[in-house]
Amino acid sequence: MASVYQVFIPQSAVPGTTTYARQGYREGTSTANALLKFAVGEISFFIFDAINYASGNITVDLDWVAAATSGKVQWEASIACLTPADATALGNQTPGTAAAAESTVSGTSYAVNRTSPAISSLDSIAARDLVCLKIKRIAASSSELSGDAMVAKV
């Protein structure tokens, strides 16, 4: 089965009721980019249709930047799925176990970094399910990045 890609931009994020990532932007010398600014412990959600999902783990590529030029950032990703006619109410579904992945920040301020947690706890996902993807920045194993990690694309 071929890979199926879905891309989420910061403006499509659904904030949680508490400890949510904040919308922001980065204006450089030639362009401006929308960003989601995550401190440790902050979360954001993305809702999507599992178009053409067949089987296998879901890899979430988080493209992010930071002003800092040293330190590590660790992310968690998990999903919760609803199939039409499920007995679970929208918003009450429980995500599967979160997958974590960690990256060391680039030595260049605002250079793009990619961290890719692979979700294996899939909450019985099926093609065309309504899926809620939860992204959370968690504490790094060591040498925590000072300041926000800012997501440009998921």
Side-chain angles (χ1 to χ4, degrees), residues 20-22 37-43 136-138 147-149:
Y20 55 89
R22 296 136 354 262
K37 300 163 78 172
F38 284 83
V40 173
E42 292 182 334
I43 61 173
K136 182 178 183 180
R137 181 175 167 199
I138 61 174
D148 289 333

Side-chain angles (χ1 to χ4, degrees), residues 12-115:
S12 66
V14 178
T17 55
T18 60
T19 62
Y20 55 89
R22 296 136 354 262
Q23 296 279 341
Y25 71 95
R26 161 98 171 114
E27 187 170 350
T29 56
S30 303
T31 63
N33 299 91
L35 300 166
L36 273 176
K37 300 163 78 172
F38 284 83
V40 173
E42 292 182 334
I43 61 173
S44 198
F45 300 94
F46 296 90
I47 309 300
F48 67 97
D49 184 327
I51 298 169
N52 295 329
Y53 177 80
S55 65
N57 293 346
I58 295 174
T59 300
V60 179
D61 289 333
L62 296 160
D63 289 353
W64 57 276
V65 300
T69 58
S70 65
K72 294 180 182 179
V73 174
Q74 187 166 200
W75 300 96
E76 275 186 348
S78 60
I79 61 170
C81 305
L82 280 178
T83 300
D86 272 356
T88 304
L90 181 66
N92 290 346
Q93 65 271 41
T94 303
T97 303
E102 183 175 88
S103 296
T104 300
V105 69
S106 166
T108 303
S109 186
Y110 293 103
V112 175
N113 303 274
R114 177 170 286 166
T115 307

Side-chain angles (χ1 to χ4, degrees), residues 128-140:
R128 299 304 317 266
D129 274 359
L130 177 67
V131 181
C132 177
L133 170 64
K134 179 182 178 183
I135 304 295
K136 182 178 183 180
R137 181 175 167 199
I138 61 174

